[in-house]
């Protein structure tokens, strides 16, 4: 769990604080996305958490300990950090890069080797194929996987991710987002994730903190923010298509009517597909009802255009 209280940072000569009395709480195991225009304070906030930047006032408590009471080097060895530039050591093998923190912590060679292989497999890279390679031999997506493996090496409870997929092509980016969400949720890490991309924020975040001029404007679940923006700034920031963005958060199975049998000729859609995908399929086929297919392909209910419209009108309960 991360608790930030009245956090403030002002840089010399700046017209306003980089971070202005920021207060928010990130529940254990949740992904909190910090987002806002350039200069809003999101990266400064992240760097204060691991004391790469020292605050002027306020506090950051990670798992019950004020970070200001912890030696900065010790603190950083227990907080995973992934950045857009990845920062792999070019003349070190992939295994050595992943092993950076365990070596600093004094792990023995056998334990380090086992952990490297475990993590490479976890991020989808065959240890036998990749542990001896060098960063120059990898694609951008593969380097990012290694960066995440390195950040996970000492099994830190908290991960900081600063636009980790920003330099990757859109197709690979979407795949990595989905893959790392699964990995990090399975590992129950508490994550602070910085991005400038609202679609990425909606996809990645359990909660989104929208910032402007160092201040927190709205902090809530993606669905709550899309359903009820706090003000005109948030409304403009999330985009005019926010109703469609909301549909991307809900699966067809969550909105289906399981008590209604699908018409024999009704086209189908997988239950795991989003309502946005269901709407697109309805529009392309000129229908208003789809059969919802379960894991084994059999119809388990129907989703209708009326149900989709109802979802866009329903306002979820706010969560703080």
């Amino acid at each position: 769990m991360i608790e930030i209280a009245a956090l403030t940072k002002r840089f010399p000569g700046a017209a306003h604080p980089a971070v202005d009395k920021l207060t928010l709480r990130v529940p254990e195991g949740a992904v909190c996305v910090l987002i806002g225009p350039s200069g809003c304070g999101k990266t400064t906030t992240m760097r204060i958490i691991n004391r790469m930047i020292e605050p002027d006032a306020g506090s950051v408590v990670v798992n019950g300990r004020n970070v200001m009471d912890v030696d900065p080097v010790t603190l950083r060895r227990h907080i995973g950090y992934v950045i857009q530039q990845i920062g792999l050591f070019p003349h070190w093998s992939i295994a050595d890069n992943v092993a950076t923190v365990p070596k600093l912590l004094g792990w023995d060679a056998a334990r380090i080797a086992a952990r490297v292989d475990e993590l490479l497999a976890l991020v989808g890279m065959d240890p036998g194929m990749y542990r001896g390679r060098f960063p120059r031999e990898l694609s951008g997506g593969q380097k990012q996987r290694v960066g995440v493996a390195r950040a996970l090496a000492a099994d830190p409870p908290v991960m900081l991710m600063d636009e980790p997929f920003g330099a990757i092509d859109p197709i690979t980016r979407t795949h990595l987002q989905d893959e790392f969400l699964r990995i990090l949720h399975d590992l129950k890490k508490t994550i602070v994730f910085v991005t400038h991309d609202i679609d990425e924020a909606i996809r990645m975040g359990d909660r989104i903190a929208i910032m402007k001029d160092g201040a927190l404007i709205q902090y809530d679940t993606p669905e709550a923010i899309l359903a009820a923006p706090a003000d005109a700034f948030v409304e403009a920031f999330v985009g005019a298509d926010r109703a469609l963005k909301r549909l991307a958060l809900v699966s067809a199975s969550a909105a289906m009517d399981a008590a209604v049998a699908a018409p024999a000729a009704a086209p189908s859609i997988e239950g795991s597909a989003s309502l946005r995908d269901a709407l697109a399929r309805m529009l392309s086929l000129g229908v208003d009802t789809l059969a919802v297919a379960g894991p084994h392909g059999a119809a388990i209910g129907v989703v209708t255009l009326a149900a989709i419209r109802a979802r866009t009108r329903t306002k979820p309960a706010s969560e703080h």
Side-chain angles (χ1 to χ4, degrees):
M1 180 193 302
I2 301 172
E3 294 182 279
I4 298 173
L7 193 66
T8 301
K9 178 66 182 181
R10 182 185 288 273
F11 293 108
H16 55 75
V19 182
D20 190 5
K21 299 181 180 66
L22 177 68
T23 296
L24 61 81
R25 176 179 176 274
V26 184
E28 185 175 355
V31 179
C32 170
V33 178
L34 305 181
I35 188 169
S38 296
C40 72
K42 53 188 184 290
T43 297
T44 300
T45 299
M46 171 176 283
R47 290 179 177 174
I48 289 173
I49 293 173
N50 69 354
R51 293 188 63 186
M52 293 180 71
I53 294 175
E54 299 291 330
D56 295 328
S59 65
V60 177
V61 175
V62 176
N63 293 333
R65 294 191 70 184
N66 190 321
V67 299
M68 299 306 294
D69 297 333
V70 184
D71 173 72
V73 174
T74 301
L75 178 71
R76 290 171 201 146
R77 289 178 183 175
H78 293 86
I79 295 179
Y81 191 40
V82 185
I83 59 175
Q84 178 177 327
Q85 294 81 11
I86 306 163
L88 300 182
F89 298 108
H91 303 300
W92 289 12
S93 70
I94 300 309
D96 285 337
N97 268 282
V98 174
T100 302
V101 174
K103 286 181 178 178
L104 291 172
L105 293 175
W107 291 17
D108 64 65
R111 183 182 178 191
I112 289 174
R115 183 62 172 163
V116 167
D117 286 0
E118 176 188 6
L119 287 169
L120 288 177
L122 183 69
V123 299
M125 299 179 71
D126 180 359
M129 183 179 298
Y130 289 103
R131 76 165 76 86
R133 292 191 183 183
F134 291 85
R136 64 179 178 273
E137 301 175 83
L138 305 183
S139 68
Q142 289 171 333
K143 290 177 183 177
Q144 199 63 64
R145 291 169 187 268
V146 175
V148 171
R150 181 176 63 183
L152 288 168
D155 198 22
V158 172
M159 297 275 291
L160 307 180
M161 305 184 78
D162 192 357
E163 303 213 38
F165 310 125
I168 299 173
D169 67 89
I171 294 175
T172 303
R173 181 177 186 171
T174 299
H175 178 68
L176 288 178
Q177 287 169 347
D178 289 342
E179 193 166 345
F180 287 126
L181 264 183
R182 176 187 57 78
I183 290 171
L184 296 171
H185 274 143
D186 286 349
L187 296 176
K188 302 188 188 312
K189 302 297 181 185
T190 304
I191 302 159
V192 177
F193 189 107
V194 164
T195 184
H196 66 277
D197 183 333
I198 188 61
D199 290 319
E200 181 167 70
I202 292 166
R203 177 186 288 268
M204 300 294 290
D206 296 309
R207 285 169 174 76
I208 299 175
I210 298 182
M211 301 177 67
K212 179 185 179 186
D213 295 336
L216 182 65
I217 307 301
Q218 188 169 3
Y219 182 50
D220 217 320
T221 64
E223 188 176 3
I225 288 174
L226 291 172
D231 60 16
F233 168 76
V234 176
E235 185 172 9
F237 192 82
V238 299
D241 63 341
R242 59 190 177 90
L244 289 176
K245 287 185 171 80
R246 280 190 72 195
L247 294 180
L249 298 172
V250 182
S251 68
S253 60
M256 73 179 183
D257 187 340
V260 176
S268 67
I269 191 166
E270 291 184 5
S272 59
S274 72
L275 287 187
R276 186 171 182 168
D277 293 334
L279 178 60
R281 185 158 172 76
M282 287 178 185
L283 293 175
S284 68
L285 298 175
V287 299
D288 60 9
T289 301
L290 294 175
V292 178
H296 303 294
I300 56 175
V302 298
V303 63
T304 64
L305 184 57
I308 293 175
R309 284 175 175 158
R311 282 280 175 164
T312 65
R313 293 192 295 268
T314 303
K315 291 190 177 182
S318 180
E319 294 184 29
H320 299 284

